[in-house]
C-alpha cells in the first residue's frame, strides 16, 4: 500500500499536548482513501480499539462522526489523541482533509465533504431524529467513489445503514463491527441485515482488513475503466458462468460497470487477478451468487432527487389527469424497483395529487414494480423500513402514509395495495403495456449502447400516447428524439411522441428458454475433430452416391457428397432450391416428382437422364424417395444421384436414321417441353401475384404480431398479479396459523357467531363445553348440545349485537365447573359489526377457593 505524504505536526497554543493537522491543502490531487467512522456516544471503547491499530503513516484519513449532545462541548479529540500517534483535530469549516490525520465532528453540526474539503452545516430537525452518520457517509460516497470507506461501530438505532449503501453503490468498501463485541449492536446489526456490509470484524481488526483490501484494490477512480486485452476473455468467461448459474445474460451490460464490480470482489477476496478469480468461481459456485448480487446492487431511498417528485406532483401528473376529465384507471411500471422505495414514493405522490386537486372523475393508479433480485422483491412486499427513512420522508408524510413499528416504519395498507411486486428481467421478459407512467431511474447507466438502443424503443412501445417516462439524473433518451420529447430537461422527465412509421425498430423480448449449461475452457472436444466424423465425411464425399434432402417445395436442407455435376447455383440472388439449381436435363425431369414422392411409399426411379455437365453429356439415374420415419425427417424427400456407366464388353449400335417411333417420341417430347415452358411462365406470373399478395399478408401479419405482443404483455401482467396474490395468500395463511395457535395456547374457549347467531368458527377448547363437530359450522348455536347451565345464552348474544354493550356472567356446568362468559361485538377492520364473540374462561378453581373460604368463615362464627 502506498504511503501518504508526511504530516507536519505542530503544537496548539491552547492545548499543548494536542497535535494538529495542516490547515492548508497538501497534495490536493492525491487520491488517498478516506475512512468515515460512525458510532454513538457509547462507542468510545470501539474507537480506541480501532485507532490503536492504525500506523502513523497509513496513508488514510479518518473522519469520525459520533452522536454527540448538541448542548455540550466535546472532548472527544483529546480522548482519542491519547491512543494514536496521528494528529486528532475537531473538524472545521473548509478544512482540507489530509492523509494520516483524524477529524472529529463538532457538537450540534452536520458534516459533509466536497472535493476533499470539510464543510459544517446546521442540522435539519427531523422530528427529533438526528442522522449525522448517514448524512456524512453519503457525501463521502459522492466525493470519493471507490476510494470511500465506511465503518459503523457500536451504536443504537440504524444510523449509518443508508450511508454504507451509498458507498457500496459507488464501489467503495463497507465494514461493520461484529455485533457480538459491540456494547450496543443495533447500528451494526441493522447495516448487516440490510446487506450493505462487505466485511464484519471486531473493532481491533477493522484497520487490518481495510489495509488488506487496499493492497488488492485498483488505484484511483476511473468510471469507464475497461479490462485489458488479456482480461477481456476472462470477463467473457465470467459472464458465461453467471448466465449458466442465474439464467441472466449480462453480456450487453456496460463492460466498465461489470469490471468494477468484479475488481471489487477480487479485492475483498484478496485474489491476485481476474484469471485467478475465474478459477475461484468455478470451484466456489456460491461466489457467483454473491457476484450477481454485487452487479445488481440497487441503492435507493424514498423521494430520491426531490425535484423530480415535485415536478411529477405539481406538473406532470396533474396534466395527465386533465387529459381524462371523466376519470381513468391509470397504470405505471417501475422496473428495477429494488426494495420498493421508488414505487411507494410514486403511489404517495399520486395520492397527494388526488387530495390536492379533488378531480370530478374517478382516478386510480396500479403500479407494477419489478426487479431481477427476488430477495429485494420479497423485502419490498413487506414494506418495512428502518427509522432512518425519516431523513428522506417529511414528518407529514410519515404521519399520513406510514405506521410506526418497533423496528421502524411500515407503509400504510392503502398505499401498499396500489403496488404489485414481481420478479422480471426487463431484457428478456415481455414488458407491461398501455402505461401512463414509466419510471426507470438509474438503470440505463449500467447498460451498454446496444442494450440502451433496444430498451428505449421498448419503453416507447409500452407507454400509451403522451405517457410519461422518468429517467435518472445521468440518463437521456440518446438518439431517440423522435420517440420522446422532454417535459423538463432538469429532472429528465419525458413524454411519449406518437410514431407514424412501422414497428420494425422494435425488438420485443420474449421469454426465452432456460440457457443450457455451457462449456468453458474447452472442457468438451469438438466432435468435428474426431476420427469418426472425418472418416464419415471421407466416405460420403468419395464412395457414397451424391444426395440432397429437400422439403416439399424443393428447398435444399442437407447435402451429402459432391453434387456439383448435377446441381449448380443460379446467377443473381442466392437460391438453394433444387429446381433452380438443377442442370439442364435434370430440371425438367424433377418437375412434380418431388411432390408425388411425398404421397407414395415407394421410391420413384428416373433412369437414363441425360444431363449437360461441364464435361459433356452424362447419363444419370435419379431416385426420389419420400421419408416417413424418423419423425424428425417426416415430410422430407431424399434425392439420390447415380452415374450410369456404359458396359465395357458391348458397344451401343449406331443408327444413321432414327426410326419413326423415335421421331414421334422426339416430337412429343419437344411439344411437352414447350408446353412445360409456357406453364412455367404462367406459374412465374402467378408467383409474382402471390408475392404481391404475400406482402399484403405480411402487413396483416405484423398487425397480428403486435396483437400477440400485447397479449404476451397482458399474460405477463396476469402472472405478476397471480404471484402477488399468491404472496398475499401465503401471508394470510401464516396469519391464520398464528391466530389459531394463539387462541389454542390461551386455553380460553372462544366461539365466533355471525349476525344470525350461526356458528362461524370455534377453538379446540370450546368442544369441552359444546358438542361441536366440523359439520356444525353454519348451524344455529341453539341447535348445539352444551354442558352450560345458561338457557339465556342466545338471548344475551342477540342483546349484545343490538346494543353493542358487552355482557359478562359467571355460569356453571352440569358437572360442577364454573366459567366466566363474556359476549362482545365482532368488529371488522372497517369498524363494521359482523356478529359476536363469546369467550369462556374457566374459574372453577376460584369458585372452589371461595367456597372453602366461606366454610372457614362460617366455622369461625360458630
Amino acid at each position: 500500500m502506498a504511503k501518504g505524504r508526511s504530516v507536519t505536526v505542530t503544537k496548539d497554543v491552547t492545548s499543548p499536548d494536542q497535535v494538529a493537522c495542516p490547515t492548508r491543502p497538501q497534495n490536493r490531487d492525491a487520491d488517498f482513501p478516506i475512512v468515515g467512522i460512525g458510532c454513538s456516544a457509547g462507542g468510545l471503547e470501539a474507537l480506541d480499539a480501532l485507532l490503536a491499530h492504525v500506523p502513523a503513516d497509513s496513508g488514510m484519513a479518518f473522519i469520525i462522526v459520533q452522536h454527540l449532545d448538541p448542548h455540550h462541548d466535546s472532548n472527544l479529540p483529546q480522548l482519542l489523541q491519547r491512543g494514536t500517534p496521528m494528529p486528532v483535530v475537531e473538524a472545521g469549516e473548509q478544512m482540507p482533509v489530509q492523509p494520516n490525520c483524524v477529524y472529529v465532528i463538532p457538537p450540534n453540526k452536520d458534516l459533509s465533504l466536497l472535493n476533499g474539503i470539510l464543510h459544517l452545516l446546521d442540522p435539519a430537525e427531523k422530528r427529533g431524529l438526528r442522522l449525522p452518520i448517514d448524512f456524512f457517509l453519503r457525501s463521502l460516497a459522492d466525493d470519493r467513489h471507490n476510494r470511500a470507506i465506511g465503518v459503523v461501530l457500536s451504536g443504537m438505532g440504524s444510523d449509518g445503514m443508508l450511508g454504507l449503501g451509498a458507498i457500496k453503490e459507488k464501489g467503495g468498501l463497507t465494514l461493520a463491527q461484529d455485533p457480538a463485541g459491540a456494547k450496543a449492536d443495533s447500528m451494526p446489526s441493522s447495516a448487516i441485515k440490510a446487506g450493505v456490509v462487505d466485511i464484519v470484524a471486531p473493532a481491533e481488526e477493522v484497520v487490518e482488513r481495510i489495509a488488506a483490501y487496499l493492497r488488492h484494490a485498483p488505484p484511483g477512480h476511473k468510471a469507464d475503466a475497461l479490462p485489458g486485452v488479456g482480461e477481456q476473455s476472462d470477463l467473457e468467461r465470467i459472464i458465461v458462468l453467471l448466465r449458466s448459474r442465474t439464467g441472466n445474460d449480462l453480456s450487453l451490460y456496460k463492460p466498465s460497470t461489470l469490471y468494477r464490480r468484479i475488481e471489487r470482489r477480487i479485492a475483498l477476496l484478496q485474489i491476485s487477478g481476474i484469471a485467478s478469480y475465474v478459477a475461484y468461481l468455478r470451484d466456489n459456485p456460491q461466489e457467483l451468487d454473491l457476484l450477481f448480487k454485487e452487479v445488481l446492487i440497487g441503492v435507493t431511498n424514498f423521494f430520491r432527487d426531490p425535484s423530480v417528485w415535485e415536478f411529477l406532483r405539481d406538473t406532470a401528473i396533474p396534466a395527465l389527469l386533465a387529459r381524462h376529465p371523466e376519470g381513468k384507471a391509470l397504470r405505471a411500471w417501475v422496473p428495477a424497483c429494488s426494495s420498493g422505495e421508488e414505487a411507494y414514493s410514486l403511489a404517495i405522490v399520486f395520492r397527494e395529487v388526488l387530495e390536492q386537486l379533488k378531480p370530478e372523475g374517478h382516478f386510480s393508479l396500479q403500479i407494477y414494480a419489478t426487479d431481477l433480485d427476488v430477495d429485494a422483491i420479497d423485502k419490498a412486499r413487506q414494506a418495512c423500513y428502518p427509522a432512518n427513512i425519516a431523513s428522506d420522508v417529511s414528518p407529514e408524510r410519515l404521519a399520513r402514509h406510514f405506521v410506526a413499528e418497533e423496528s421502524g416504519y411500515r407503509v400504510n395498507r392503502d398505499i401498499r395495495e396500489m403496488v404489485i411486486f414481481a420478479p422480471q428481467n426487463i431484457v428478456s421478459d415481455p414488458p407491461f403495456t398501455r402505461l401512463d407512467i414509466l419510471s426507470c431511474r438509474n438503470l440505463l447507466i449500467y447498460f451498454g449502447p446496444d442494450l440502451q438502443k433496444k430498451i428505449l424503443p421498448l419503453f416507447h412501445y409500452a407507454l400509451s400516447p403522451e405517457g410519461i417516462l422518468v429517467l435518472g439524473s445521468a440518463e437521456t433518451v440518446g438518439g431517440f428524439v423522435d420517440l420522446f420529447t422532454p417535459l423538463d430537461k432538469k429532472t429528465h422527465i419525458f413524454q411519449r411522441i406518437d410514431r407514424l412509421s412501422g414497428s420494425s425498430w422494435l425488438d420485443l423480448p420474449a421469454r426465452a428458454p432456460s440457457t443450457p449449461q455451457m462449456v468453458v475452457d474447452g472442457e468438451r472436444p469438438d466432435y468435428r475433430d474426431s476420427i469418426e466424423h472425418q472418416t464419415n465425411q471421407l466416405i460420403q464425399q468419395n464412395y457414397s452416391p451424391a444426395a440432397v434432402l429437400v422439403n416439399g417445395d424443393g428447398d435444399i436442407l442437407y447435402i451429402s457428397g459432391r453434387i456439383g455435376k448435377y446441381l449448380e447455383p443460379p446467377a443473381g440472388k442466392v437460391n438453394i432450391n433444387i429446381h433452380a439449381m438443377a442442370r439442364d436435363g435434370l430440371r425438367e425431369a424433377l418437375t412434380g416428382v418431388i411432390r408425388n414422392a411425398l404421397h407414395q411409399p415407394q421410391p420413384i426411379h428416373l433412369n437414363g437422364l441425360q444431363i449437360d455437365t461441364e464435361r459433356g453429356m452424362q447419363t444419370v439415374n435419379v431416385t426420389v424417395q419420400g421419408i416417413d420415419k424418423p419423425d424428425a425427417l417426416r415430410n422430407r424427400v431424399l434425392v439420390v444421384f447415380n452415374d450410369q456407366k456404359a458396359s465395357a464388353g458391348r458397344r451401343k449400335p449406331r443408327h444413321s436414321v432414327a426410326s419413326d417411333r423415335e421421331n414421334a417420341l422426339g416430337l412429343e417430347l419437344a411439344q411437352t417441353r414447350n408446353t412445360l415452358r409456357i406453364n412455367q411462365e404462367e406459374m412465374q406470373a402467378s408467383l409474382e401475384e402471390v408475392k404481391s399478395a404475400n406482402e399484403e399478408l405480411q402487413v396483416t401479419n405484423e398487425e397480428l404480431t403486435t396483437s400477440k405482443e400485447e397479449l404476451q404483455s397482458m399474460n405477463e401482467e396476469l402472472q405478476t398479479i397471480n404471484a402477488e396474490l399468491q404472496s398475499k395468500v401465503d401471508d394470510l395463511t401464516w396469519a391464520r396459523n398464528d391466530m389459531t395457535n394463539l387462541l389454542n395456547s390461551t386455553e380460553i374457549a372462544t366461539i365466533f357467531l355471525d349476525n344470525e347467531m350461526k356458528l362461524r368458527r370455534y377453538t379446540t377448547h370450546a368442544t369441552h363445553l359444546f358438542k361441536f363437530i366440523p359439520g356444525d359450522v353454519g348451524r344455529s348455536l341453539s341447535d348445539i348440545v352444551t354442558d352450560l347451565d345458561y338457557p339465556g345464552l342466545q338471548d344475551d348474544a342477540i342483546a349484545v349485537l343490538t346494543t353493542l354493550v358487552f355482557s359478562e356472567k359467571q355460569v356453571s356446568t352440569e358437572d360442577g365447573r364454573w366459567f366466566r362468559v363474556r359476549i362482545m361485538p365482532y368488529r371488522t377492520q372497517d369498524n363494521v359489526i359482523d356478529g359476536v364473540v363469546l369467550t369462556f374462561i374457566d374459574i372453577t378453581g376460584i369458585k372452589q377457593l371461595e367456597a372453602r373460604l366461606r366454610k372457614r368463615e362460617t366455622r369461625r362464627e360458630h
Side-chain angles (χ1 to χ4, degrees):
M1 179 173 58
K3 297 182 179 180
R5 298 187 60 179
S6 60
V7 180
T8 304
V9 178
T10 61
K11 295 288 184 179
D12 189 1
V13 177
T14 58
S15 303
D17 295 333
Q18 182 179 336
V19 293
C21 291
T23 57
R24 292 188 178 182
Q26 295 184 12
N27 196 18
R28 282 287 303 275
D29 297 330
D31 194 14
F32 56 89
I34 296 180
V35 182
I37 305 173
C39 65
S40 66
L44 181 59
E45 181 179 347
L47 279 174
D48 283 334
L50 187 152
L51 293 177
H53 292 77
V54 182
D57 58 350
S58 66
M60 295 180 283
F62 296 84
I63 302 175
I64 298 173
V65 181
Q66 190 181 34
H67 294 161
L68 299 173
D69 189 334
H71 305 296
H72 293 82
D73 293 335
S74 171
N75 60 350
L76 184 61
Q78 292 84 355
L79 295 175
L80 294 178
Q81 187 64 75
R82 301 172 184 174
T84 177
M86 296 184 296
V88 183
V89 299
E90 189 173 82
E93 175 64 22
Q94 295 189 348
M95 179 179 289
V97 177
Q98 296 296 324
N100 307 316
C101 291
V102 181
Y103 302 86
V104 180
I105 187 173
N108 201 31
K109 291 292 182 181
D110 279 341
L111 188 62
S112 66
L113 185 69
L114 180 63
N115 297 325
I117 305 296
L118 294 173
H119 296 275
L120 300 179
L121 299 91
D122 293 329
E125 296 295 336
K126 291 283 186 180
R127 299 180 57 170
L129 180 64
R130 294 282 306 279
L131 301 169
I133 302 174
D134 276 333
F135 185 83
F136 173 72
L137 292 182
R138 283 177 169 179
S139 70
L140 174 62
D142 292 335
D143 195 71
R144 230 48 175 187
H145 298 279
N146 65 331
R147 304 300 278 175
I149 301 174
V151 181
V152 170
L153 300 178
S154 173
M156 298 299 295
S158 57
D159 193 11
M161 184 188 73
L162 297 180
L164 290 185
I167 290 176
K168 188 167 185 178
E169 182 186 23
K170 297 294 185 179
L173 177 66
T174 59
L175 303 95
Q177 182 182 2
D178 189 347
K183 182 176 293 186
D185 64 357
S186 180
M187 277 173 44
S189 295
S190 297
I192 295 170
K193 185 178 179 181
V196 295
V197 176
D198 296 316
I199 298 174
V200 179
E204 58 271 15
E205 297 181 9
V206 166
V207 174
E208 180 183 351
R209 301 294 294 272
I210 294 176
Y213 171 83
L214 292 176
R215 283 193 293 269
H216 294 82
H221 171 64
K222 296 181 180 180
D224 296 325
L226 293 173
V229 177
E231 297 173 331
Q232 182 63 38
S233 60
D234 293 323
L235 178 61
E236 293 173 354
R237 287 188 178 94
I238 293 175
I239 293 174
V240 170
L241 291 172
L242 283 172
R243 182 174 59 184
S244 300
R245 177 76 173 182
T246 68
N248 295 291
D249 187 2
L250 303 182
S251 60
L252 295 179
Y253 279 55
K254 191 175 293 183
S256 59
T257 300
L258 292 174
Y259 190 60
R260 285 202 312 273
R261 298 298 182 188
I262 292 171
E263 281 188 325
R264 191 172 180 279
R265 291 300 305 172
I266 291 175
L268 284 172
L269 296 170
Q270 302 178 33
I271 295 177
S272 58
I274 189 171
S276 300
Y277 186 59
V278 173
Y280 183 83
L281 287 173
R282 299 181 64 179
D283 295 336
N284 300 271
Q286 67 276 6
E287 173 63 20
L288 287 168
D289 300 330
L290 296 175
L291 177 60
F292 188 63
K293 291 280 188 182
E294 184 80 25
V295 174
L296 295 183
I297 181 68
V299 178
T300 183
N301 50 275
F302 284 96
F303 304 102
R304 191 175 191 176
D305 299 329
S307 59
V308 173
W309 301 103
E310 291 172 2
F311 184 84
L312 286 173
R313 181 192 62 196
D314 301 335
T315 305
I317 295 180
L320 181 63
L321 301 184
R323 291 197 292 270
H324 305 280
E326 72 284 356
K328 183 183 178 183
L330 302 175
R331 295 157 56 88
W333 181 22
V334 183
C337 67
S338 188
S339 49
E341 287 91 333
E342 184 174 343
Y344 288 130
S345 297
L346 178 59
I348 290 172
V349 166
F350 180 78
R351 186 61 57 87
E352 291 175 349
V353 171
L354 292 184
E355 294 173 353
Q356 179 181 356
L357 298 180
K358 295 181 173 61
E360 295 182 359
H362 175 71
F363 289 93
S364 63
L365 178 63
Q366 181 67 72
I367 302 174
Y368 300 96
T370 62
D371 198 280
L372 262 180
D373 191 346
V374 178
D375 294 336
I377 289 295
D378 292 339
K379 181 179 178 181
R381 284 173 176 157
Q382 296 173 8
C384 294
Y385 299 95
N388 56 358
I389 65 170
S391 62
D392 301 313
V393 184
S394 66
E396 294 77 15
R397 282 172 171 163
L398 276 177
R400 184 170 183 80
H401 303 294
F402 293 82
V403 177
E405 295 185 349
E406 182 179 356
S407 59
Y409 295 94
R410 182 188 293 270
V411 181
N412 278 346
R413 180 179 178 181
D414 58 338
I415 298 297
R416 297 202 310 267
E417 290 180 344
M418 295 174 61
V419 187
I420 293 178
F421 293 97
Q424 189 211 34
N425 189 332
I426 190 176
V427 178
S428 60
D429 291 336
F432 297 92
T433 57
R434 296 178 287 112
L435 301 172
D436 300 282
I437 302 174
L438 200 162
S439 179
C440 181
R441 306 178 63 207
N442 303 316
L443 176 64
L444 297 181
I445 57 176
Y446 299 110
F447 290 169
D450 293 339
L451 191 52
Q452 290 185 12
K453 291 177 182 179
K454 175 182 178 180
I455 294 299
L456 285 168
L458 188 72
F459 287 169
H460 182 272
Y461 167 79
L463 283 167
S464 297
E466 299 183 340
I468 300 170
L469 173 65
V470 186
L471 297 180
S473 58
E475 298 169 334
T476 66
V477 296
F480 294 101
V481 293
D482 57 334
L483 301 183
F484 303 97
T485 182
L487 288 178
D488 184 69
K489 293 183 178 180
K490 180 180 178 182
T491 56
H492 293 254
I493 297 179
F494 301 85
Q495 188 176 55
R496 180 187 190 270
I497 301 176
D498 286 340
R499 184 186 175 107
L500 299 179
S501 59
S503 59
S504 59
W505 49 269
L506 178 64
D507 183 10
L508 188 79
R511 189 178 298 275
S514 58
T515 305
Q517 187 74 18
M518 301 193 67
V519 180
V520 186
D521 294 340
E523 287 182 354
R524 185 181 303 163
D526 192 342
Y527 78 98
R528 292 171 296 182
D529 297 332
S530 64
I531 296 178
E532 293 84 357
H533 176 75
Q534 295 184 5
T535 302
N536 289 335
Q537 289 294 311
L538 180 65
I539 294 173
Q540 290 180 13
Q541 295 178 8
N542 295 279
Y543 301 100
S544 298
V548 294
L549 182 72
V550 299
N551 60 15
D553 296 325
D555 297 326
I556 298 175
L557 305 177
Y558 182 78
I559 297 175
S560 175
R562 298 178 180 181
I563 61 169
K565 289 192 299 182
Y566 319 107
L567 305 177
E568 65 174 348
K573 186 177 179 180
V574 176
N575 189 344
I576 58 171
N577 189 281
I578 193 172
H579 298 294
M581 296 179 64
R583 292 182 180 271
D584 291 341
L586 178 63
R587 183 182 302 113
E588 297 82 357
L590 290 177
T591 302
V593 175
I594 292 177
R595 292 191 176 276
N596 292 336
L598 288 173
H599 303 293
Q600 65 182 50
Q602 296 82 13
I604 300 176
H605 299 284
L606 304 175
N607 298 325
L609 298 179
Q610 297 292 320
I611 299 178
D612 187 7
T613 67
E614 295 176 355
R615 297 181 180 180
M617 300 300 294
Q618 173 71 44
T619 303
V620 177
N621 297 331
V622 179
T623 302
V624 183
Q625 173 69 65
I627 301 176
D628 185 59
K629 293 180 180 180
D631 292 341
L633 298 181
R634 180 171 295 179
N635 295 327
R636 302 289 190 266
V637 176
L638 185 65
V639 182
V640 182
F641 306 96
N642 286 285
D643 292 343
Q644 187 182 81
K645 297 182 180 180
S647 300
R650 299 179 58 185
R651 177 177 297 180
K652 185 177 179 180
R654 301 180 60 183
H655 300 279
S656 59
V657 181
S659 64
D660 294 341
R661 178 61 178 167
E662 291 174 342
N663 292 335
L665 292 174
L667 180 60
E668 183 179 354
L669 177 60
Q671 292 175 347
T672 303
R673 289 180 175 178
N674 186 43
T675 302
L676 180 61
R677 188 178 300 107
I678 295 174
N679 291 336
Q680 288 179 338
E681 293 175 355
E682 293 178 353
M683 290 178 62
Q684 185 65 31
S686 301
L687 181 61
E688 296 295 334
E689 295 178 1
V690 170
K691 287 183 178 180
S692 177
N694 185 52
E695 292 176 356
E696 297 178 0
L697 291 174
Q698 188 172 359
V699 174
T700 305
N701 184 55
E702 291 178 357
E703 297 176 357
L704 293 175
T705 302
T706 302
S707 301
K708 177 184 177 182
E709 293 165 353
E710 293 180 355
L711 290 174
Q712 287 178 336
S713 299
M714 292 178 65
N715 182 55
E716 184 73 17
E717 294 175 18
L718 292 175
Q719 292 178 354
T720 300
I721 295 173
N722 181 60
E724 184 72 14
L725 291 176
Q726 184 61 44
S727 175
K728 292 182 178 180
V729 168
D730 293 341
D731 292 341
L732 290 174
T733 300
W734 280 109
R736 179 174 180 178
N737 292 338
D738 293 342
M739 185 58 63
T740 301
N741 282 276
L742 174 62
L743 292 174
N744 291 335
S745 64
T746 59
E747 297 185 356
I748 298 175
T750 307
I751 298 175
F752 298 91
L753 303 179
D754 60 16
N755 290 327
E756 298 179 357
M757 297 296 110
K758 293 182 179 180
L759 182 63
R760 178 183 293 158
R761 184 173 298 172
Y762 58 88
T763 63
T764 303
H765 290 84
T767 59
H768 299 162
L769 296 175
F770 294 84
K771 308 302 181 183
F772 287 136
I773 60 174
D776 288 336
V777 175
R779 295 180 58 189
S780 176
L781 185 62
S782 60
D783 296 339
I784 310 299
V785 177
T786 177
D787 294 337
L788 289 172
D789 186 13
Y790 192 179
L793 175 60
Q794 183 160 340
D795 293 336
D796 288 348
I798 295 174
V800 169
L801 185 62
T802 304
T803 62
L804 304 184
V805 177
F806 80 93
S807 170
E808 183 173 303
K809 291 184 179 181
Q810 295 182 3
V811 181
S812 64
T813 63
E814 296 176 354
D815 55 2
R817 292 176 293 162
W818 282 85
F819 290 87
R820 179 184 291 115
V821 182
R822 176 174 293 182
I823 308 175
M824 299 185 66
Y826 182 99
R827 295 180 183 272
T828 65
Q829 288 187 347
D830 300 326
N831 201 26
V832 175
I833 305 301
D834 191 20
V836 293
V837 182
L838 291 76
T839 59
F840 304 85
I841 303 175
D842 191 345
I843 58 173
T844 303
I846 297 175
K847 284 294 186 179
Q848 291 174 350
L849 179 60
E850 289 178 354
R852 288 197 297 269
L853 291 175
R854 280 196 295 270
K855 289 181 180 180
R856 187 177 302 174
E857 207 52 47
T858 303
R859 291 173 183 174
R860 288 179 181 177
E861 292 178 357
H862 292 290

